[in-house]
Amino acid sequence: MELQDKFGRKFPYIRLSITDVCNYKCTYCLPQGYKKTPGDNRSFMSAKEISKLTKALSELGVCKIRLTGGEPTVRKDFFDILKDMKQNSKIEKVTMTTNGYRLDKIAKQLHNSGLDGINISIDSLERETFKNLTGHDRLPEILTGIKILQDLNFKSIKVNAVLLKGVNDTDKDFDIFSNFIKDNKIDFRFIELMETGDNREYFKKNHVQAKKFKEYLNKNNWLYQTYGKNAGPSLNYIHPDFEGKFGVIAPYSKDFCKTCNRLRITARGDLRLCLFGNTGTSIRHLLQNDNQKKELVDLIISQLHHKKASHHLEIGDTGITPNLSSTGG
Ligand code: SAM
Protein backbone atom coordinates (compact mmCIF):
# COMPACT_ATOMS: atom_id res chain seq x y z
CA MET A 1 0.00 0.00 0.00
CA GLU A 2 1.16 3.55 -0.72
CA LEU A 3 -0.13 6.87 0.53
CA GLN A 4 -0.88 9.11 -2.41
CA ASP A 5 -2.86 12.34 -2.80
CA LYS A 6 -5.01 13.59 -5.66
CA PHE A 7 -2.01 15.43 -7.15
CA GLY A 8 -0.05 12.18 -7.47
CA ARG A 9 2.34 12.99 -4.61
CA LYS A 10 3.40 10.01 -2.51
CA PHE A 11 4.01 10.10 1.25
CA PRO A 12 6.53 7.52 2.42
CA TYR A 13 7.74 9.88 5.15
CA ILE A 14 6.21 11.03 8.45
CA ARG A 15 7.41 13.75 10.77
CA LEU A 16 6.28 12.64 14.17
CA SER A 17 6.38 15.12 17.00
CA ILE A 18 6.61 13.49 20.42
CA THR A 19 6.49 16.65 22.53
CA ASP A 20 5.82 20.36 22.11
CA VAL A 21 8.24 21.18 24.90
CA CYS A 22 11.54 22.74 23.91
CA ASN A 23 14.27 23.82 26.29
CA TYR A 24 15.78 26.37 23.87
CA LYS A 25 14.58 29.91 23.25
CA CYS A 26 15.35 30.38 19.57
CA THR A 27 14.59 33.97 18.66
CA TYR A 28 12.45 32.99 15.62
CA CYS A 29 10.54 30.15 17.29
CA LEU A 30 10.09 30.35 21.07
CA PRO A 31 11.81 33.60 22.14
CA GLN A 32 10.11 33.50 25.56
CA GLY A 33 10.70 29.76 25.95
CA TYR A 34 8.09 27.01 25.84
CA LYS A 35 4.64 27.79 27.22
CA LYS A 36 1.64 25.47 27.20
CA THR A 37 -0.87 26.18 24.42
CA PRO A 38 -3.71 27.98 26.22
CA GLY A 39 -6.86 25.88 26.34
CA ASP A 40 -5.19 22.68 25.13
CA ASN A 41 -5.01 20.36 28.11
CA ARG A 42 -4.47 17.19 26.13
CA SER A 43 -1.42 15.17 27.11
CA PHE A 44 1.24 14.13 24.62
CA MET A 45 0.82 10.70 23.05
CA SER A 46 2.12 7.91 25.26
CA ALA A 47 4.85 5.51 24.14
CA LYS A 48 2.13 2.84 23.74
CA GLU A 49 0.01 5.05 21.50
CA ILE A 50 3.07 5.91 19.43
CA SER A 51 3.86 2.21 19.08
CA LYS A 52 0.35 1.49 17.72
CA LEU A 53 0.63 4.45 15.37
CA THR A 54 3.98 3.30 14.03
CA LYS A 55 2.62 -0.15 13.17
CA ALA A 56 -0.33 1.34 11.28
CA LEU A 57 1.99 3.70 9.42
CA SER A 58 4.21 0.88 8.24
CA GLU A 59 1.09 -0.81 6.76
CA LEU A 60 0.51 2.41 4.82
CA GLY A 61 3.89 2.08 3.12
CA VAL A 62 5.62 4.61 5.34
CA CYS A 63 9.31 3.72 5.36
CA LYS A 64 10.77 6.71 7.20
CA ILE A 65 9.78 8.41 10.43
CA ARG A 66 11.56 11.47 11.76
CA LEU A 67 11.10 12.10 15.48
CA THR A 68 10.84 15.77 16.23
CA GLY A 69 9.23 18.26 18.56
CA GLY A 70 9.64 20.58 20.50
CA GLU A 71 12.86 18.94 21.52
CA PRO A 72 12.37 15.16 21.32
CA THR A 73 15.19 14.36 23.72
CA VAL A 74 13.53 16.14 26.65
CA ARG A 75 11.05 13.27 26.85
CA LYS A 76 12.11 10.86 29.57
CA ASP A 77 10.97 7.87 27.52
CA PHE A 78 12.66 9.10 24.33
CA PHE A 79 14.93 6.05 24.08
CA ASP A 80 12.04 3.65 24.79
CA ILE A 81 10.11 5.19 21.88
CA LEU A 82 13.13 5.05 19.58
CA LYS A 83 14.01 1.45 20.47
CA ASP A 84 10.42 0.27 20.09
CA MET A 85 10.24 1.83 16.64
CA LYS A 86 13.50 0.18 15.59
CA GLN A 87 12.80 -3.21 17.11
CA ASN A 88 9.05 -3.72 16.80
CA SER A 89 8.06 -2.08 13.54
CA LYS A 90 8.89 -2.43 9.88
CA ILE A 91 9.83 1.24 9.47
CA GLU A 92 13.14 1.12 7.60
CA LYS A 93 14.57 4.46 8.69
CA VAL A 94 14.05 6.20 12.01
CA THR A 95 15.72 9.57 12.23
CA MET A 96 15.41 12.60 14.48
CA THR A 97 15.70 16.37 14.52
CA THR A 98 17.30 17.80 17.63
CA ASN A 99 18.78 21.00 18.98
CA GLY A 100 21.74 18.88 20.08
CA TYR A 101 20.93 19.18 23.77
CA ARG A 102 23.29 16.82 25.67
CA LEU A 103 24.46 15.36 22.35
CA ASP A 104 27.90 14.66 23.78
CA LYS A 105 26.29 12.57 26.54
CA ILE A 106 23.79 10.64 24.44
CA ALA A 107 25.59 10.21 21.11
CA LYS A 108 26.69 6.67 21.89
CA GLN A 109 23.24 5.64 23.11
CA LEU A 110 21.65 7.10 19.97
CA HIS A 111 24.01 5.06 17.85
CA ASN A 112 23.42 1.90 19.89
CA SER A 113 19.65 2.33 19.68
CA GLY A 114 19.81 2.01 15.91
CA LEU A 115 18.97 5.60 14.98
CA ASP A 116 19.43 5.90 11.22
CA GLY A 117 20.05 9.61 10.85
CA ILE A 118 20.22 12.82 12.81
CA ASN A 119 19.48 16.44 11.90
CA ILE A 120 21.07 18.87 14.32
CA SER A 121 20.04 22.51 14.35
CA ILE A 122 23.02 24.87 14.52
CA ASP A 123 22.22 28.37 13.31
CA SER A 124 25.68 29.70 14.00
CA LEU A 125 29.12 28.17 14.48
CA GLU A 126 30.16 31.18 16.54
CA ARG A 127 29.73 30.44 20.20
CA GLU A 128 28.50 33.87 21.26
CA THR A 129 26.03 34.18 18.38
CA PHE A 130 24.74 30.67 19.05
CA LYS A 131 24.23 31.55 22.70
CA ASN A 132 22.37 34.76 21.87
CA LEU A 133 20.11 32.96 19.39
CA THR A 134 19.18 29.96 21.49
CA GLY A 135 19.64 31.19 25.06
CA HIS A 136 22.14 28.37 25.65
CA ASP A 137 25.93 28.28 25.63
CA ARG A 138 25.94 24.72 24.32
CA LEU A 139 27.73 24.90 20.99
CA PRO A 140 30.93 23.15 22.21
CA GLU A 141 29.05 20.14 23.57
CA ILE A 142 27.06 19.81 20.34
CA LEU A 143 30.26 19.84 18.29
CA THR A 144 31.76 17.25 20.63
CA GLY A 145 28.61 15.16 20.19
CA ILE A 146 28.98 15.32 16.41
CA LYS A 147 32.60 14.20 16.70
CA ILE A 148 31.57 11.24 18.87
CA LEU A 149 28.95 10.22 16.29
CA GLN A 150 31.51 10.47 13.51
CA ASP A 151 34.01 8.36 15.45
CA LEU A 152 31.26 5.75 15.76
CA ASN A 153 30.78 5.87 11.97
CA PHE A 154 27.24 7.09 12.42
CA LYS A 155 25.52 6.95 9.02
CA SER A 156 23.81 10.22 8.32
CA ILE A 157 24.55 13.54 10.00
CA LYS A 158 22.81 16.67 8.80
CA VAL A 159 23.14 20.14 10.24
CA ASN A 160 20.36 22.68 9.68
CA ALA A 161 20.56 26.43 10.04
CA VAL A 162 17.79 28.96 9.55
CA LEU A 163 18.98 31.75 7.27
CA LEU A 164 18.74 34.96 9.29
CA LYS A 165 19.58 38.55 8.44
CA GLY A 166 22.62 39.85 10.30
CA VAL A 167 23.27 36.46 11.88
CA ASN A 168 24.47 34.06 9.21
CA ASP A 169 23.68 35.59 5.82
CA THR A 170 26.95 37.08 4.55
CA ASP A 171 29.61 35.43 2.38
CA LYS A 172 31.85 35.51 5.46
CA ASP A 173 29.25 33.51 7.41
CA PHE A 174 28.79 31.10 4.51
CA ASP A 175 32.58 30.61 4.42
CA ILE A 176 32.52 29.54 8.08
CA PHE A 177 29.95 26.82 7.33
CA SER A 178 31.85 25.91 4.21
CA ASN A 179 35.09 25.42 6.19
CA PHE A 180 33.15 23.28 8.63
CA ILE A 181 32.12 20.78 5.94
CA LYS A 182 35.40 20.88 4.01
CA ASP A 183 36.77 17.75 5.67
CA ASN A 184 33.61 16.79 7.50
CA LYS A 185 31.14 14.36 5.95
CA ILE A 186 28.11 16.40 6.95
CA ASP A 187 25.11 17.60 4.94
CA PHE A 188 24.66 21.23 5.87
CA ARG A 189 21.32 22.80 4.93
CA PHE A 190 20.08 26.33 5.08
CA ILE A 191 16.34 26.68 5.67
CA GLU A 192 14.68 29.90 4.67
CA LEU A 193 12.95 31.51 7.68
CA MET A 194 9.19 30.82 7.56
CA GLU A 195 6.53 33.11 8.86
CA THR A 196 4.40 31.60 11.62
CA GLY A 197 1.49 32.97 13.66
CA ASP A 198 3.81 34.19 16.44
CA ASN A 199 6.77 35.62 14.55
CA ARG A 200 5.29 38.05 12.00
CA GLU A 201 7.36 41.09 13.05
CA TYR A 202 10.52 39.04 13.44
CA PHE A 203 9.93 37.54 10.01
CA LYS A 204 9.57 40.96 8.39
CA LYS A 205 12.87 42.09 9.92
CA ASN A 206 14.95 38.96 9.51
CA HIS A 207 13.78 37.01 6.48
CA VAL A 208 16.42 36.51 3.79
CA GLN A 209 15.62 34.82 0.50
CA ALA A 210 17.35 31.49 -0.04
CA LYS A 211 18.61 32.77 -3.37
CA LYS A 212 21.29 34.73 -1.48
CA PHE A 213 22.89 31.46 -0.41
CA LYS A 214 22.29 29.86 -3.81
CA GLU A 215 24.24 32.73 -5.39
CA TYR A 216 27.13 32.02 -3.03
CA LEU A 217 27.05 28.34 -4.03
CA ASN A 218 27.09 29.20 -7.73
CA LYS A 219 29.94 31.68 -7.25
CA ASN A 220 31.99 29.04 -5.46
CA ASN A 221 31.42 26.29 -8.03
CA TRP A 222 29.06 24.07 -6.06
CA LEU A 223 27.15 21.75 -8.39
CA TYR A 224 23.41 21.21 -8.13
CA GLN A 225 22.67 17.54 -7.64
CA THR A 226 19.29 16.20 -8.72
CA TYR A 227 17.61 13.30 -7.00
CA GLY A 228 14.59 11.13 -7.81
CA LYS A 229 10.99 12.30 -7.92
CA ASN A 230 10.21 11.53 -4.27
CA ALA A 231 13.41 12.92 -2.79
CA GLY A 232 11.78 15.82 -0.94
CA PRO A 233 12.15 19.56 -1.06
CA SER A 234 15.86 20.09 -0.28
CA LEU A 235 18.01 21.26 -3.21
CA ASN A 236 21.39 19.61 -2.82
CA TYR A 237 24.84 20.72 -3.93
CA ILE A 238 28.17 18.92 -4.11
CA HIS A 239 31.76 20.05 -4.65
CA PRO A 240 34.74 17.85 -5.56
CA ASP A 241 36.96 19.50 -2.91
CA PHE A 242 34.51 19.02 -0.05
CA GLU A 243 33.62 15.98 2.04
CA GLY A 244 30.29 17.50 3.05
CA LYS A 245 27.36 18.72 0.98
CA PHE A 246 25.25 21.84 1.05
CA GLY A 247 21.47 21.93 0.80
CA VAL A 248 18.88 24.66 0.52
CA ILE A 249 15.31 24.45 1.68
CA ALA A 250 13.39 27.31 0.11
CA PRO A 251 9.73 27.09 1.12
CA TYR A 252 8.84 30.31 -0.70
CA SER A 253 10.15 29.08 -4.02
CA LYS A 254 7.68 28.43 -6.81
CA ASP A 255 7.34 24.68 -7.01
CA PHE A 256 8.33 23.87 -3.42
CA CYS A 257 5.17 21.92 -2.57
CA LYS A 258 5.31 19.84 -5.73
CA THR A 259 7.99 17.67 -4.13
CA CYS A 260 6.21 17.35 -0.77
CA ASN A 261 6.63 13.77 0.41
CA ARG A 262 5.70 14.04 4.08
CA LEU A 263 2.80 14.21 6.48
CA ARG A 264 2.99 15.32 10.08
CA ILE A 265 1.57 14.04 13.30
CA THR A 266 1.61 16.32 16.30
CA ALA A 267 2.57 15.26 19.79
CA ARG A 268 -1.10 15.30 20.79
CA GLY A 269 -2.04 12.93 18.01
CA ASP A 270 -3.36 15.23 15.29
CA LEU A 271 -2.63 14.28 11.71
CA ARG A 272 -1.52 17.43 9.88
CA LEU A 273 -1.45 17.32 6.11
CA CYS A 274 0.88 20.32 5.87
CA LEU A 275 3.19 22.24 8.19
CA PHE A 276 0.89 25.20 7.60
CA GLY A 277 -2.84 25.53 6.84
CA ASN A 278 -5.49 23.83 8.93
CA THR A 279 -6.07 20.52 7.18
CA GLY A 280 -5.98 17.34 9.22
CA THR A 281 -7.80 15.67 12.05
CA SER A 282 -7.20 13.98 15.39
CA ILE A 283 -6.33 10.30 15.08
CA ARG A 284 -5.64 9.68 18.72
CA HIS A 285 -8.97 8.03 19.53
CA LEU A 286 -7.89 5.25 17.14
CA LEU A 287 -4.66 4.55 19.02
CA GLN A 288 -6.29 2.93 22.00
CA ASN A 289 -6.70 -0.74 20.95
CA ASP A 290 -4.94 -3.04 18.51
CA ASN A 291 -8.25 -3.84 16.83
CA GLN A 292 -8.63 -0.20 15.66
CA LYS A 293 -5.78 -0.46 13.17
CA LYS A 294 -7.97 -0.83 10.07
CA GLU A 295 -10.11 2.16 11.06
CA LEU A 296 -6.96 4.21 11.64
CA VAL A 297 -5.46 3.25 8.30
CA ASP A 298 -8.74 4.10 6.53
CA LEU A 299 -8.97 7.49 8.26
CA ILE A 300 -5.43 8.48 7.23
CA ILE A 301 -6.10 7.44 3.62
CA SER A 302 -9.35 9.38 3.48
CA GLN A 303 -7.75 12.50 4.98
CA LEU A 304 -5.24 12.65 2.15
CA HIS A 305 -7.99 13.80 -0.22
CA HIS A 306 -7.95 17.09 1.70
CA LYS A 307 -4.26 17.79 1.15
CA LYS A 308 -3.89 21.01 -0.77
CA ALA A 309 -1.54 21.66 -3.68
CA SER A 310 0.38 24.37 -1.81
CA HIS A 311 0.94 25.74 1.71
CA HIS A 312 0.00 29.30 0.60
CA LEU A 313 2.74 30.64 2.84
CA GLU A 314 3.73 33.08 0.11
CA ILE A 315 0.53 35.02 0.79
CA GLY A 316 1.20 35.07 4.54
CA ASP A 317 -1.33 32.33 5.34
CA THR A 318 0.31 30.59 8.29
CA GLY A 319 -2.83 28.62 9.16
CA ILE A 320 -3.02 27.31 12.71
CA THR A 321 0.75 27.14 13.22
CA PRO A 322 1.84 29.61 15.95
CA ASN A 323 5.44 28.31 15.86
CA LEU A 324 7.11 25.20 14.53
CA SER A 325 7.60 23.75 17.98
CA SER A 326 3.85 23.24 18.28
CA THR A 327 3.49 21.32 15.01
CA GLY A 328 6.82 19.55 14.92
CA GLY A 329 9.31 21.28 12.65
N1 SAM B 1 14.11 21.02 18.73
C1 SAM B 1 14.47 20.41 17.51
C2 SAM B 1 15.46 21.27 16.75
O1 SAM B 1 15.85 22.30 17.26
O2 SAM B 1 15.87 20.86 15.67
C3 SAM B 1 13.31 20.01 16.62
C4 SAM B 1 12.17 20.97 16.44
S1 SAM B 1 12.57 22.46 15.59
C5 SAM B 1 11.00 23.22 15.52
C6 SAM B 1 12.89 21.88 13.96
C7 SAM B 1 13.57 22.83 13.02
O3 SAM B 1 12.69 23.88 12.69
C8 SAM B 1 14.84 23.48 13.55
O4 SAM B 1 15.87 23.28 12.62
C9 SAM B 1 14.47 24.94 13.64
O5 SAM B 1 15.59 25.77 13.43
C10 SAM B 1 13.45 25.06 12.53
N2 SAM B 1 12.56 26.20 12.65
C11 SAM B 1 11.84 26.59 13.72
N3 SAM B 1 11.11 27.68 13.43
C12 SAM B 1 11.37 27.98 12.14
C13 SAM B 1 10.91 28.99 11.25
N4 SAM B 1 10.04 29.91 11.63
N5 SAM B 1 11.37 28.99 9.98
C14 SAM B 1 12.25 28.04 9.57
N6 SAM B 1 12.71 27.06 10.36
C15 SAM B 1 12.28 27.03 11.63
Side-chain angles (χ1 to χ4, degrees):
M1 201 185 289
E2 265 183 338
L3 281 171
Q4 188 168 339
D5 71 1
K6 59 188 179 207
F7 305 102
R9 294 175 297 194
K10 294 187 178 141
F11 300 94
Y13 176 19
I14 298 285
R15 291 249 173 134
L16 175 61
S17 174
I18 58 171
T19 178
D20 285 3
V21 179
C22 189
N23 49 349
Y24 277 24
K25 295 182 178 178
C26 296
T27 49
Y28 49 84
C29 190
L30 294 175
Q32 312 301 328
Y34 170 75
K35 299 212 166 52
K36 264 186 98 169
T37 315
D40 196 344
N41 292 321
R42 296 176 299 162
S43 58
F44 300 133
M45 281 186 289
S46 67
K48 269 194 181 154
E49 288 170 316
I50 293 172
S51 182
K52 289 191 174 55
L53 174 62
T54 307
K55 290 188 181 105
L57 291 174
S58 74
E59 288 203 2
L60 285 163
V62 169
C63 50
K64 176 173 167 187
I65 293 182
R66 174 176 297 284
L67 299 172
T68 183
E71 172 50 36
T73 59
V74 301
R75 246 184 101 138
K76 290 209 169 61
D77 55 359
F78 169 76
F79 280 102
D80 300 330
I81 294 169
L82 171 60
K83 278 191 205 144
D84 178 69
M85 227 171 248
K86 283 302 298 176
Q87 289 164 12
N88 301 323
S89 83
K90 294 190 196 116
I91 303 291
E92 285 160 34
K93 270 192 179 176
V94 181
T95 64
M96 72 185 287
T97 300
T98 175
N99 59 26
Y101 168 63
R102 296 181 69 245
L103 189 59
D104 54 342
K105 311 270 180 329
I106 63 170
K108 195 158 179 212
Q109 205 180 346
L110 288 172
H111 178 68
N112 291 345
S113 306
L115 186 74
D116 295 290
I118 189 164
N119 278 25
I120 305 156
S121 304
I122 306 179
D123 296 324
S124 174
L125 285 168
E126 289 178 314
R127 187 169 176 170
E128 213 37 44
T129 312
F130 181 93
K131 184 174 146 196
N132 292 336
L133 265 174
T134 61
H136 284 267
D137 184 19
R138 289 185 179 268
L139 182 62
E141 70 193 59
I142 298 172
L143 297 178
T144 304
I146 292 178
K147 179 81 182 55
I148 296 171
L149 287 173
Q150 287 177 319
D151 289 345
L152 291 163
N153 277 328
F154 188 81
K155 290 161 255 180
S156 164
I157 305 177
K158 293 180 180 158
V159 171
N160 293 338
V162 180
L163 186 58
L164 297 168
K165 192 175 286 173
V167 173
N168 56 19
D169 69 326
T170 63
D171 280 11
K172 200 172 141 235
D173 298 314
F174 300 153
D175 282 343
I176 294 174
F177 289 118
S178 167
N179 287 336
F180 180 61
I181 62 165
K182 179 97 174 63
D183 302 312
N184 243 335
K185 210 164 182 236
I186 284 178
D187 281 12
F188 179 91
R189 282 119 53 105
F190 260 121
I191 312 173
E192 200 173 319
L193 177 67
M194 291 178 263
E195 182 175 345
T196 61
D198 285 351
N199 78 2
R200 289 179 200 277
E201 283 310 308
Y202 185 97
F203 176 83
K204 272 191 221 151
K205 276 198 210 129
N206 298 288
H207 175 250
V208 179
Q209 285 186 4
K211 82 170 188 224
K212 189 163 182 195
F213 182 56
K214 283 193 209 161
E215 281 162 10
Y216 169 87
L217 293 175
N218 290 334
K219 252 189 326 205
N220 289 281
N221 303 319
W222 284 83
L223 301 171
Y224 175 60
Q225 192 187 31
T226 45
Y227 282 120
K229 195 165 166 276
N230 295 316
S234 171
L235 307 172
N236 300 298
Y237 293 78
I238 50 171
H239 194 298
D241 301 337
F242 285 74
E243 283 284 321
K245 293 181 186 173
F246 269 130
V248 184
I249 301 180
Y252 291 91
S253 63
K254 196 167 133 272
D255 290 329
F256 183 73
C257 299
K258 279 197 177 156
T259 51
C260 183
N261 63 352
R262 61 204 58 188
L263 301 174
R264 292 163 194 274
I265 297 170
T266 70
R268 294 186 168 85
D270 294 337
L271 172 69
R272 297 284 301 273
L273 303 176
C274 176
L275 183 53
F276 295 94
N278 57 7
T279 46
T281 188
S282 176
I283 53 174
R284 191 159 180 187
H285 59 292
L286 297 177
L287 298 174
Q288 307 313 312
N289 300 303
D290 287 334
N291 60 13
Q292 293 175 300
K293 194 153 73 180
K294 169 141 185 13
E295 222 183 317
L296 174 61
V297 162
D298 289 346
L299 177 62
I300 296 175
I301 293 172
S302 70
Q303 277 293 308
L304 265 184
H305 300 303
H306 302 294
K307 183 156 170 82
K308 297 193 173 137
S310 156
H311 52 37
H312 298 306
L313 203 53
E314 66 287 356
I315 54 169
D317 181 2
T318 57
I320 54 170
T321 303
N323 52 63
L324 295 203
S325 205
S326 71
T327 316

